[in-house]
Amino acid sequence: AMTSSRRSGRLLLALAGALGCCQLFRVWSFVPGPQALPAPLSEAHHFSPAVAASAAMPALTMLAEDAEAKYGDYRRWSSVLVPLSTLVFPAVGFGAFTLYLFSEDFAFQLIPGSKEGQRRAALWDANPRTAQENPMDGLINPDDYEKGLEEAWERAKPKGSTVTVKDKLQQWSTQNNPHWYGNKLSA
């Protein structure tokens, strides 16, 4: 029973895709009828640069030389391009990557406390749009948020609980989370 429902789903998906392709083919493939054509322009002699350029293209092809393989050209280009593409470019590329691999900046995003990572974090913190000291800074109306949080906590808290929202928000504002990636490791 499970395989037949999967097959029917696949069949419906394939049928929907085929119908969509048929609709696109119908819309894009045929010339519109005379009733759907736009009204003719009032100007009898309208200059179109695109038409003029397309008319000049065959005349420009007469200026080109005939395509033929010349033996001297092959030797000249292969004597330059083969060593360049097989020896010089790979040597320069792999050498540059090896130097970058052993630099301090390689994969600085993956190394906690790297100099480049700390430099970029300081740049982000220096920007007033991205610096966020207080988690409530991003809220449009923090008082309304706190009021809604208090109301929700009063409805949901267990009987006899002495925990208040203001106390918890105060505790969380001074909390130092030891598992946060921005904290330095103490070893």
Side-chain angles (χ1 to χ4, degrees), residues 1-185:
M2 193 73 164
T3 58
S4 65
S5 66
R6 284 185 184 172
R7 287 184 185 154
S8 64
R10 289 180 186 167
L11 180 65
L12 287 175
L13 182 64
L15 184 64
L19 286 174
C21 289
C22 288
Q23 286 291 339
L24 288 175
F25 180 74
R26 183 183 64 81
V27 170
W28 289 342
S29 297
F30 298 104
V31 176
Q35 67 275 10
L37 289 176
L41 295 174
S42 60
E43 296 179 20
H45 302 288
H46 179 69
F47 178 74
S48 174
V51 173
S54 65
M57 289 305 280
L60 293 176
T61 58
M62 290 189 296
L63 300 174
E65 291 183 25
D66 291 338
E68 59 180 306
K70 297 178 185 174
Y71 186 67
D73 288 343
Y74 164 73
R75 295 190 75 151
R76 178 177 54 207
W77 286 107
S78 67
S79 66
V80 171
L81 289 177
V82 169
L84 196 65
S85 63
T86 59
L87 297 173
V88 176
F89 288 155
V92 170
F94 288 131
F97 179 74
T98 303
L99 290 175
Y100 175 63
L101 183 68
F102 290 106
S103 71
E104 291 181 3
D105 295 338
F106 178 72
F108 68 90
Q109 299 96 336
L110 304 175
I111 303 170
S114 68
K115 290 180 185 176
E116 181 64 17
Q118 289 177 351
R119 185 186 73 82
R120 290 198 185 186
L123 287 174
W124 278 108
D125 289 342
N127 187 347
R129 290 187 175 185
T130 58
Q132 187 174 4
E133 303 266 333
N134 183 2
M136 298 288 196
D137 285 345
L139 296 175
I140 294 173
N141 192 353
D143 296 330
D144 185 44
Y145 171 77
E146 288 179 17
K147 182 181 173 192
L149 189 61
E150 282 182 35
E151 290 173 3
W153 174 245
E154 291 301 323
R155 283 183 293 197
K157 76 176 180 180
K159 290 185 179 182
S161 175
T162 59
V163 176
T164 63
V165 171
K166 289 189 180 199
D167 293 341
K168 272 298 180 185
L169 287 174
Q170 180 63 30
Q171 178 189 359
W172 290 338
S173 68
T174 59
Q175 183 178 6
N176 184 14
N177 189 348
H179 303 293
W180 182 54
Y181 76 95
N183 286 343
K184 293 192 176 199
L185 299 174

